[in-house]
Amino acid sequence: MLGLSTEKITETLKILHDPTRLLLMKLLTEKEYCVCELVGMFEVSQPAMSQHLRKYKKAGLVCEEKRGQWRYYCFNEACEQHILVEQIIGQLDDNDEQLIKLRSKAEAITC
Amino acid sequence: MLGLSTEKITETLKILHDPTRLLLMKLLTEKEYCVCELVGMFEVSQPAMSQHLRKYKKAGLVCEEKRGQWRYYCFNEACEQHILVEQIIGQLDDNDEQLIKLRSKAEAITC
DNA sequence: ATGTTATATAAGGCAATCATTATATACTTG
DNA sequence: CAAGTATATAATGATTGCCTTATATAACAT
């Protein structure tokens, strides 16, 4: 086991220490979402969501796919930090109220 | 497995996203240190170290023991977030240069 | 081509974080 | 008790982070 550098770990924790980004990452490990869905689910502004996603992208945490006028994001399972990320979100209570609400909202959204 | 709340996880990540506090936590899981040792090892000011330790303490991450004029700190293995913390520091490369330097400095310090 | 929708980027403001300087507390030693 | 050492706390200032507003880009529809 080689392990990660201090810098890589702190970079990852800086990204996931935000509640929106922590829950968002949990969802992105389960399936892909397009930006407009995420904006609706989290009730944040479109630029705010876009900036959250940019942080993930800069750290290599997500895959991005453009289809039509939409961009879909999901967790990049091949990233260097994938075990760390999986362990962190694995600590989340699966019955977390916010998570349940987010998932139910997702179903109601059509971009 | 119950899991932790979003707030508890983000609180913990906020504490460990700082490189000094990440490495420091790694050391505190191995053995106890007094504040003056830590100040010498990390080459930070005494108040800065004291404030780092206060953050740990506020989050319940450390045990504190006063012996003589020294205060010794170590990881609180009974804390709610102990698995999360152990997983995060478990990702650290054990041969991390900074870690090796810190440990060798520790031996040279006598308060 | 024009308008509309989806998304990104840039610029600005406010709040949180981190280190520093200064001061306080508490124990120890003479 | 006075001086010294270890530690904590408070106040200030600089930096960073996150959101907002405004604007740009790109795909699609008419």
Side-chain angles (χ1 to χ4, degrees):
Chain A
M1 225 279 283
L2 263 170
L4 299 170
S5 70
T6 306
E7 293 70 32
K8 202 69 191 171
I9 297 179
T10 54
E11 178 197 45
T12 307
L13 302 190
K14 249 176 229 175
I15 291 174
L16 297 181
H17 82 220
D18 176 83
T20 297
R21 286 197 298 268
L22 178 68
L23 292 166
L24 177 49
M25 182 56 77
K26 167 81 173 169
L27 296 174
L28 294 180
T29 59
E30 295 166 356
K31 73 180 204 73
E32 61 172 22
Y33 288 90
C34 75
V35 182
C36 56
E37 282 179 297
L38 298 173
V39 168
M41 289 158 68
F42 283 89
E43 293 176 19
V44 299
S45 70
Q46 176 270 315
M49 181 54 69
S50 192
Q51 284 163 35
H52 287 313
L53 292 166
R54 185 163 49 173
K55 294 200 178 193
Y56 288 147
K57 201 176 153 187
K58 197 184 162 203
L61 288 169
V62 291
C63 299
E64 189 189 12
E65 202 190 316
K66 210 170 183 172
R67 289 206 299 277
Q69 57 194 136
W70 296 279
R71 284 197 202 185
Y72 292 85
Y73 288 87
C74 67
F75 177 51
N76 175 14
E77 291 173 16
C79 72
E80 198 187 348
Q81 325 94 311
H82 76 279
I83 296 175
L84 175 59
V85 174
E86 283 156 8
Q87 284 177 336
I88 293 170
I89 63 177
Q91 287 292 316
L92 254 175
D93 188 339
D94 235 315
N95 297 316
D96 186 285
E97 266 188 45
Q98 298 172 70
L99 260 179
I100 292 171
K101 269 190 198 168
L102 284 167
R103 291 205 188 92
S104 70
K105 268 195 184 177
E107 292 171 23
I109 293 173
T110 45
C111 301
Chain B
M1 224 277 284
L2 262 171
L4 299 170
S5 69
T6 305
E7 293 69 35
K8 202 69 190 170
I9 296 179
T10 54
E11 177 196 46
T12 307
L13 303 189
K14 248 177 230 175
I15 290 174
L16 298 181
H17 82 219
D18 176 84
T20 297
R21 285 196 300 265
L22 179 67
L23 291 167
L24 176 51
M25 183 54 76
K26 167 82 173 170
L27 296 173
L28 295 180
T29 59
E30 294 166 355
K31 73 181 204 73
E32 62 172 23
Y33 288 90
C34 75
V35 182
C36 55
E37 283 178 297
L38 297 173
V39 167
M41 292 159 66
F42 283 90
E43 292 175 20
V44 299
S45 70
Q46 177 270 317
M49 181 55 69
S50 192
Q51 283 165 42
H52 286 313
L53 292 165
R54 185 164 47 172
K55 292 201 179 195
Y56 288 148
K57 202 176 153 188
K58 197 184 162 202
L61 288 169
V62 291
C63 299
E64 189 188 12
E65 202 189 318
K66 210 169 184 172
R67 290 208 295 278
Q69 55 192 139
W70 297 279
R71 283 194 203 189
Y72 292 86
Y73 288 89
C74 68
F75 178 52
N76 175 14
E77 291 173 16
C79 72
E80 197 188 350
Q81 324 94 309
H82 75 279
I83 296 176
L84 176 59
V85 174
E86 284 157 7
Q87 285 177 335
I88 292 171
I89 64 177
Q91 287 292 315
L92 254 176
D93 188 339
D94 236 315
N95 297 316
D96 186 286
E97 266 188 46
Q98 299 171 68
L99 260 178
I100 292 171
K101 270 190 198 168
L102 285 167
R103 290 204 189 92
S104 70
K105 270 195 181 177
E107 291 171 22
I109 293 173
T110 45
C111 302

